[in-house]
Amino acid sequence: MLKALSFTAKHSYSGIAFTNVKACTIPAAERILSVRNLVTTAYNTVDDNDSKRYHHHHHHHPWKLHQTSLSSVRSSSSSSSSGSDILASFSAQSRNQFEGQNIAGAMEALARADAVCFDVDSTVITEEGIDVLAASLGKGAEVSAWTLKAMEGNTKFEDALAARLAIMKPSRASVDRCLSDHPLQFSPGVETLIESLRLADIDVWLVSGGFRSMIEPIAKQLCIDKANIIANTILYDADGTYAGFDREELTSADMGKPKAVQAVKEKYGYETVIMVGDGATDAQAKPPADAFIGFGGVSVRESVREKACWYVKDFEAMNDVVSKFGKST
C-alpha cells in the first residue's frame, strides 16, 4: 500500500518554509523528486554571501547559526512494540542473518528515535569523498593510505585530516570541479530509508569528518537542511586558494562524533538518537548515541562490526523497522 506524504519542514531555506506542501499518494521515487525539486529551488535562491559565512570564525558554524530556544524538551515517544517484538516480526531466515551486540535493543531504539545521525562517506554515499577529491588532484594513493588509517582507528582523526589536506591543498575551484566531474553516488536504499524516517517524524542529520562543501550537494538531494549538517570546513584565501581547515568544527578531531551527537541532543532535547556509519569514529559515538548501527554495505571493518549494536550491509531491514514501527507510522 502506498503511503501518503505529509511533509512539514522543520527548517526553512533562505526564508522559504515548506509548511503547506499538500499530502500526496504517489510512488516513493516521485515523492522524493517532488520534495527534492522544492528544496532545490530554495537552495538556488541562496545568495553567494550565504556560503561565505562558513569561512570565518567558529561562531559562524552552520550548526550554531540555527540555534533556537526550546520552549519545551521533546518527550520520548512511546511504542507498543518492544525490540523483541520487532525482531520477531522478521522471518527466521532474516533473524539468522542479523549481526550485532544488541540487535533487539537497536531496533527498538530506531523505532522510537527522535533523530538518526548518518555518517556520509561509505555510508550515505558509496565512496570516501576525500579520496574522490584526492584522485581528482592526482594524490589518490597518498591520501587513501591516510583515510584507511583513520577509518580503522589506527591514528588520531585530526592527524589524518591535517595530513591529507596538506597533501592535497584543494582550492575552491578544484573542489567544485571534482563534484562536477565526479558526482557522488548514493548507497542503494538510503534515499528510501531517509524518506521513511521523515514520514515517521524522525529528524535526519549528516555527521561527517568529510567536507561541508562536498556534503551540501548531497544534503540538497536528500532534502536535508543545511542546519542538519555537522562536518568540516575547508578555509580559502580571498582568491580561493587553500588556507587550512577550521579546527574548531566538532568533527575535526578524534572523538568529534560523540561531541556532535551530544550537542544535538542538548540543543534539540532529543532523548533517543541513533548513529549509523561504517567507521571507527562512528562507533565512538555510542555513548551518547543510544544505539550504534554499523554499516558494511561499502566497506566491512571488523573493529566496527564487533562494536555495533546492529550490523547491516544494506538499509532494507532498517527501513522495515522505521516504516512499520516508527513512532509516527
Side-chain angles (χ1 to χ4, degrees):
M1 180 182 292
L2 294 176
K3 194 165 191 177
L5 169 63
S6 180
F7 180 84
T8 303
K10 293 184 174 61
H11 304 286
S12 62
Y13 295 80
S14 298
I16 301 176
F18 302 105
T19 56
N20 295 305
V21 180
K22 184 181 292 186
C24 54
T25 307
I26 54 178
E30 294 181 32
R31 293 205 300 273
I32 294 173
L33 181 60
S34 297
V35 178
R36 180 180 295 163
N37 287 340
L38 287 169
V39 175
T40 299
T41 300
Y43 263 91
N44 289 339
T45 65
V46 178
D47 186 89
D48 287 340
N49 290 330
D50 187 61
S51 62
K52 292 176 183 176
R53 71 187 180 194
Y54 302 131
H55 309 298
H56 296 296
H57 301 295
H58 67 275
H59 61 273
H60 290 297
H61 287 169
W63 75 273
K64 293 180 180 177
L65 281 172
H66 296 262
Q67 286 187 357
T68 56
S69 58
L70 294 176
S71 58
S72 61
V73 175
R74 291 180 182 225
S75 59
S76 60
S77 57
S78 59
S79 172
S80 58
S81 300
S82 68
S84 297
D85 292 333
I86 298 172
L87 181 58
S89 72
F90 288 89
S91 68
Q93 181 179 4
S94 294
R95 293 197 302 272
N96 289 336
Q97 294 174 347
F98 288 151
E99 300 179 63
Q101 300 298 315
N102 185 4
I103 299 167
M107 288 181 170
E108 183 172 334
L110 178 60
R112 297 183 178 186
D114 296 306
V116 175
C117 297
F118 287 89
D119 174 41
V120 176
D121 299 319
S122 297
T123 301
V124 171
I125 61 173
T126 59
E127 298 170 290
E128 292 289 324
I130 194 169
D131 290 347
V132 173
L133 179 59
S136 74
L137 295 170
K139 304 288 186 179
E142 295 172 80
V143 169
S144 291
W146 277 101
T147 299
L148 182 60
K149 290 180 183 179
M151 291 301 97
E152 296 289 352
N154 295 327
T155 188
K156 286 187 176 181
F157 183 82
E158 58 265 40
D159 294 339
L161 179 62
R164 289 177 290 179
L165 283 169
I167 292 168
M168 293 188 294
K169 295 183 173 61
S171 66
R172 189 193 304 274
S174 68
V175 173
D176 292 342
R177 186 169 55 250
C178 173
L179 292 173
S180 176
D181 293 345
H182 191 114
L184 300 173
Q185 302 298 311
F186 290 118
S187 294
V190 73
E191 293 170 279
T192 301
L193 172 58
I194 288 174
E195 186 203 16
S196 294
L197 290 166
R198 183 180 295 117
L199 289 170
D201 195 29
I202 299 172
D203 288 350
V204 176
W205 289 76
L206 301 180
V207 179
S208 174
F211 305 128
R212 175 174 294 276
S213 55
M214 299 185 75
I215 293 170
E216 285 185 355
I218 295 167
K220 178 171 67 174
Q221 292 182 68
L222 293 171
C223 307
I224 296 172
D225 196 302
K226 289 182 181 181
N228 284 37
I229 302 171
I230 299 177
N232 285 306
T233 300
I234 301 175
L235 304 176
Y236 303 101
D237 289 329
D239 63 356
T241 57
Y242 175 69
F245 66 98
D246 189 341
R247 293 179 180 270
E248 295 196 38
E249 292 281 13
L250 292 175
T251 55
S252 68
D254 201 39
M255 298 303 292
K257 290 186 179 178
K259 293 176 183 176
V261 171
Q262 186 62 38
V264 299
K265 271 190 151 186
E266 292 176 357
K267 178 179 171 184
Y268 292 102
Y270 297 141
E271 291 202 7
T272 304
V273 175
I274 311 300
M275 184 73 212
V276 182
D278 72 296
T281 59
D282 305 309
Q284 289 176 343
K286 179 185 181 295
D290 298 275
F292 167 57
I293 300 178
F295 181 70
V298 177
S299 297
V300 175
R301 311 185 198 282
E302 288 304 323
S303 61
V304 175
R305 193 176 197 167
E306 292 170 1
K307 294 176 182 176
C309 301
W310 182 18
Y311 194 77
V312 301
K313 292 185 178 178
D314 59 51
F315 292 114
E316 184 176 352
M318 287 180 64
N319 186 63
D320 286 344
V321 171
V322 174
S323 60
K324 295 175 184 177
F325 300 97
K327 61 181 184 179
S328 294
T329 57

